[in-house]
Each structure stands twice: as C-alpha cells, then as structure tokens.
Amino acid sequence: MIFSLMGGEMSKTEPRPIYVDSDKRTGLDDLAAQVKDGSVVAVGGGLSSREPMALLRAILRRGVKGLTVVGSAHGIDIDLLSGGGAISRSSESYVGFEQDFGMAPNYRRALESGAVSVDDSCCYTLVQQLRAAIQGLPFLPIRSVRGTSFPSLHPEYKRMICPFTGEELLLVPAIEPEVALIHAQYGDAQGNLLIQGPPVADILFAKASREVLATVEEIVSTARLKELGGVSIPYFYVTAVSEVPMGAHPTACYPFYAYDRRHTVLYYEAARKGADAFLAEYLSVFVHGAPDHADYLAQIGGEKARARLSSWRDGAEAWKRLYMDEAMA
Amino acid sequence: MTTSCTFGEMMIAALTRTIADGTLVFHGFGSPLIQLAMHVAKRTHAPRMILVAGATYGVDPEPPFLAPTSNDWVMDRGASSSLGIEELFDLAAAGRMGRMFLSGLQIDRWGNCNVTALGYPNIKLKLPGGGGGCNLSCDAAHITLWTTAHRSPKDAKGQRRFRLVEDCDFITNLGHRTRDGQPAKELGHRGGGPQWLVTELGLFDFDADGHARLTAVYRDTSLDEVLENMGFTPRLAAKVETIPAPERSVVELIRRLDPLKVHEKEIRAEDLRREFAIT
C-alpha cells in the first residue's frame, strides 16, 4: 500500500477489497473495535455537519492510540480526538471552529506540544491523493502548491516536467486511508449509504479507503433508500454499518437535527480552560462518563434536546429563532 | 431613515466592489464578511455572477439568514445545484474560477498568507490551517485578501505583533513572490494572484512588481495609522483616495441578509464602535 504519510517505504498499490456480506449491521462498540491503533483514518463530514461523533466517542472509550487523521475542513471531531489522546499525526487541511469560536483548543495543544506531528495538507492536494488511490494509481499531478511552504513539509511531493507540454507539475502520492468513518442519514442492511446535503469528501473517502465504517440515523430497506434519494455510497465499499440516531451530535445531521451550538459552547469552554478541565468537565462526563450512546443522549437532555434541534423544520422563522436562542445562550 | 452604517457594512461594501459580474466566485468557511459581500454583489452590480458557497458547495444559494457556521443547510437553501468538493477545485484548476477570498494570521508585502503556524519548523502557535486556500491561491484567476486585524496595538513591552508582516513564518497561500524572491508568475500557475487587500484601516492593490500599494483609507483612518501598524512599508498610489460609504439600499440589504449579525464576530470591539454617514 502507499503509505506516504509516515514518510516511509512506498510500495505498489495493492488491489482494493470489496465487501459482499448481505447483512453488515452491527453495534456501535463493535464498529469502533475495528479501528486499530496506528491506523490512517479519514473522518467524514465537515465543520459542524454530519461528523461521526458517536463513533469517535466510542473509539475514545476504547482507548485507541496513534491515529493519523486526513481530511479537509474539520472542527470538533478532530479536536475531540486530539483532546482524547487518540491521534499522533494530523494531515488535516483545517481544524477550527470558524469565526464563531476560533481556534481548536485541544488540537492546538496537541500539535504545539509535539504530541501530534504536524503534516498539514490542503483540500485539492488531498482530493488528488484520494483520487489516485481510487483509480489505483500511485500519484496524480497538480499545478498548484508550488511556491508555497507545503513542499518543505511534504518531501514526498515530487516535481516533474510534463512530457507533453513542458510545464512543471507537482506529483502527489496516493493516500489510501485504512479506514473511513462516515455518518450518513440513511443506510440499508447491506451497507448502501444515502447522504443528503453536501457530501463534503465522504464519497472520495469511502472509495479511497480500505474499510468504511458507517453509522446512520436510520437503517431502512433498499427500496425505501431509493425512494429517499438513491445510494450515495454503494454497499460494496462499506465494511459495517450501525444504526445510531443522533450519531452526529453535537454537529448537525439534517433533516433530523440542526447543529447544537449550545452544546458546542459548553464543549469549547471546557476545552479552552486546558487539558485537565477538558478531562474533568467534558471527557469524564460525555465520553468516559457515558458508557454507551443511550447514556450520552440522556446526558445531553434526551428527547427535549432532540425536539429543540429538530425545530428548524417549522420554517425559516423557527430556524432563525433556534439560532437566535443559541446566540443568546 | 437609516443615516449611518457600521464599519462592518463599510468593509462588506469595499469587498463587494472587488467582484466582477459574469464570473465564478467562491468563498471559504469562517468568513461571513465575504459571504455577505458575495450575496450583496449578486443582488446589486453582479447578477450574473456564479456564487459558490464554501463548505456546502451550493451554487447561487439564497440563505434565509446567515448562520454562525458555513457548513449548515441554512447556507445552501435555494441553491440551483450543489457541487462536489472535487468539482469545485477542478473548476479552479481548469481556470474557471474568477475570484477567491483569502486571509491569514500573517500577510506579507507580496500577498503571501500564513494560516498554518507561527514559528516554523519550530511551531509556537498552531493555526487552524488554510483549507483549500493553498490550491486556490495558485489556481483562481484573482484573489481578494482581507483582514480585520491590521491594527496592531503595542503590548506591555511596547512591541507590536503585526498582522501585515515583513515575512510569513510559513507560506500557506501563495502571493506574488516566493520566499526566495522568485516572481510567482514564473511558476506557471493558472491564477494571477492577489489583486486587492482590504483591511479595517485601508485598501491596497498590488503593483506591477506584485508589491502591496495603498490606494485608499477610510474617512476615519489616516495614512500614519495605516503605516505604523504594518511590519513592512507599502508603496503608495499617486493619490490615496477615501473609501466610499455604501448606498443606503446596500446597508439595508446587508441587515436583511444577516439579521443575527454573525459578521460582527469577525470585527474587533473598537471597530464595532465606528460609524459612517450614508446618503
């Protein structure tokens, strides 16, 4: 496999696996158990939407270590993994809380202390590296990036003169994550996934990775999946699937629920105060203090929280009011 | 009747003027000033602009209000289509993207930006990272840079930590020259690099050398204030103009688009107090 992220040996791309079991349903903890220490992991979703948060909490509860994370635009997902000590290298393009809260506190601490190696990338570089893996190629060229500081951070990038046009191009090696962690709105027992709204990089992640571990809000029949909009990620890419309602919380999973800004405020305040406060006020309550997802849902306010976050459906004014309340909270 | 506008509205209007009709324009995340500038442009002088929203990749969306996070279904309501991440960046690489907006915790005289880390390779402060800014800084036809932190007050030791710096510790987004002084145009990128830099103190363009050149200040800022808050000396336009205030209809449009005043999160407290007369 291509393993450029660690700067180690590069070998030829191996044929990619496919997954043909007719029933891939499993429990959340069994799903999390398939993520091994030291894996290269692509976390799906982006910023405040559809991040596989329940699966990440289950991974942290298992004490997984040494992950390399690759991705485009991320926030609380990678910050939580950083605060929980699961990561040793970050190849993300962005990890933060936009202008609303600012920099990601746990991520910053982990990278500034050296506990996590800095291996930053950029969205299109990552896209090309994933597309190389999807196509079974060792690399793809890009024109951009040359002239910036990224090549100094990534000695694995190579320059070449195009044999057709004579222009200089940058070659970026395939990235083949060992596992993609994806939360979708719907799936079926076979593992077909339907993502509604922006897929971010999830479809690329699913096709480039050796395994796809998915959580979904609802498992439905294949016929129902087609009625709801069709298949975004065909079943044969998917290793296992688990039905986890509110599985992206506190990020959004429309149409089921909006982004929980109130919970994010609580998270951010704990993270900002420092590693000890984050452990005591957040991890010990919402991750290690909630042994399973049902306990987590109870911790965040159960049905009342779910109803509050689904009130966006009542129209534009209700949607805005939800954010107005959040802004004043 | 509205007789004044805020500094945020003033800056949104200045950013709006950098957008040309009939071009494909993209914004990233964490930048409500830019989101608003694009929506204002689309509804005023640039109706044929292709507005692609960052994070959702929705095309020509009409959000009912601005949400405090950009990857939210609020932000792609009404979009006529939605692009995939690969499609958006392919558009830029193929030369179809007319303009992108970029910023940085450090911006130098050539328009290079650092969003990666302060201190490199010995990192003192890890910044969030630039998303796709590195790629788009090379590929988009034109770049508008912006910052709301040009002003760099002295700390207790009398030192200023500039946003507009002599040198970037790390070049995340490419400007007009590399760290070695090589002109970016020799690299054969698709894009023409930074064209404008809009700050809370002034407006810069980039001259034929690719060097930042002050072209205008606000009614309430002075040339001295612009210069003393910078780590490098900009070139000066033959006549430094005054940035015009937006029309009343534009101010009212911004207030309709952003009822939660999400864009004020980008603006420092002292700048929220600034006020400009409008007609």
Side-chain angles (χ1 to χ4, degrees), chain A residues 122-123, chain B residues 89 100 102 130-138 143 172-174:
Chain A
C122 342
C123 295
Chain B
F89 285 97
M100 170 65 182
L102 294 169
C134 166
N135 306 117
L136 297 177
S137 69
C138 302
I143 303 293
T172 313
N173 306 329
L174 184 62

Side-chain angles (χ1 to χ4, degrees), chain A residues 251-271:
Chain A
T251 69
C253 188
Y254 291 103
F256 295 91
Y257 46 93
Y259 161 55
D260 192 344
R261 189 172 178 279
R262 187 184 296 174
H263 185 90
T264 308
V265 169
L266 179 154
Y267 174 97
Y268 198 84
E269 284 304 309

Side-chain angles (χ1 to χ4, degrees), chain A residues 145-198:
Chain A
V145 181
R146 293 170 303 121
T148 72
S149 300
F150 281 99
S152 74
L153 193 59
H154 290 277
E156 74 274 20
Y157 299 168
K158 305 295 179 202
R159 287 166 196 253
M160 78 167 288
I161 302 300
C162 172
F164 300 103
T165 64
E167 63 188 319
E168 187 186 63
L169 298 169
L170 196 70
L171 310 184
V172 295
I175 288 182
E176 188 179 284
E178 270 136 336
V179 58
L181 309 176
I182 288 171
H183 184 77
Q185 281 89 352
Y186 298 100
D188 66 15
Q190 202 179 10
N192 286 302
L193 302 177
L194 166 57
I195 292 171
Q196 295 180 326

Side-chain angles (χ1 to χ4, degrees), chain B residues 6-221:
Chain B
T6 63
F7 171 71
E9 290 155 353
M10 189 78 178
M11 186 158 173
I12 290 163
L15 290 160
T16 300
R17 294 183 195 108
T18 73
I19 295 171
D21 194 17
T23 58
L24 189 151
V25 186
F26 178 65
H27 68 71
F29 34 82
S31 47
L33 292 170
I34 306 307
Q35 291 172 305
L36 289 166
M38 286 170 55
H39 282 287
V40 169
K42 178 87 182 160
R43 287 160 181 74
T44 55
H45 72 273
R48 296 183 309 121
M49 155 201 181
I50 303 161
L51 190 166
V52 185
T56 65
Y57 305 118
V59 177
D60 298 335
E62 296 187 0
F65 58 94
L66 214 65
T69 171
S70 50
N71 192 11
D72 193 300
W73 278 23
V74 172
M75 298 312 302
D76 73 348
R77 292 302 86 179
S80 55
S81 61
S82 293
L83 310 180
I85 185 171
E86 64 273 39
E87 187 173 12
L88 182 279
F89 285 97
D90 286 345
L91 286 171
R96 285 183 160 122
M97 183 181 288
R99 187 169 302 275
M100 170 65 182
F101 294 81
L102 294 169
S103 188
L105 263 284
Q106 294 179 322
I107 302 171
D108 73 14
R109 69 185 70 218
W110 310 112
N112 292 301
C113 299
N114 176 14
V115 209
T116 302
L118 297 186
Y120 177 78
N122 299 312
I123 290 171
K124 291 204 277 289
L125 198 166
K126 181 67 185 78
L127 303 171
C134 166
N135 306 117
L136 297 177
S137 69
C138 302
D139 285 341
H142 299 290
I143 303 293
T144 300
L145 301 175
W146 91 102
T147 177
T148 52
H150 179 159
R151 194 183 285 110
S152 321
K154 288 182 182 168
D155 64 16
K157 293 178 187 163
Q159 303 282 315
R160 294 179 192 269
R161 183 192 270 190
F162 295 117
R163 179 69 55 110
L164 303 180
V165 295
E166 181 65 31
D167 284 304
C168 290
D169 297 353
F170 185 99
I171 295 178
T172 313
N173 306 329
L174 184 62
H176 290 291
R177 288 201 187 191
T178 68
R179 182 178 296 283
D180 307 332
Q182 184 186 15
K185 62 177 73 158
E186 292 177 5
L187 294 170
H189 288 308
R190 282 278 185 227
Q195 188 179 29
W196 300 102
L197 165 61
V198 184
T199 83
E200 84 280 23
L201 298 181
L203 173 69
F204 303 80
D205 65 4
F206 291 85
D207 67 12
D209 295 335
H211 195 290
R213 176 173 63 184
L214 184 71
T215 67
V217 294
Y218 297 92
R219 281 182 211 158
D220 61 349
T221 53

Side-chain angles (χ1 to χ4, degrees), chain A residues 34-49:
Chain A
Q34 298 186 48
V35 178
K36 303 289 184 286
D37 288 357
S39 300
V40 177
V41 176
V43 178
L47 298 174
S48 55
S49 272

Side-chain angles (χ1 to χ4, degrees), chain A residues 274-315:
Chain A
D276 293 342
F278 186 69
L279 176 61
E281 296 172 24
Y282 196 87
L283 289 175
S284 299
V285 180
F286 295 103
V287 179
H288 304 300
D292 65 26
H293 187 59
D295 292 317
Y296 174 82
L297 293 181
Q299 281 286 6
I300 62 161
E303 176 54 27
K304 203 174 156 194
R306 196 202 59 74
R308 180 172 63 87
L309 297 171
S310 61
S311 68
W312 76 275
R313 293 165 178 267
D314 300 337

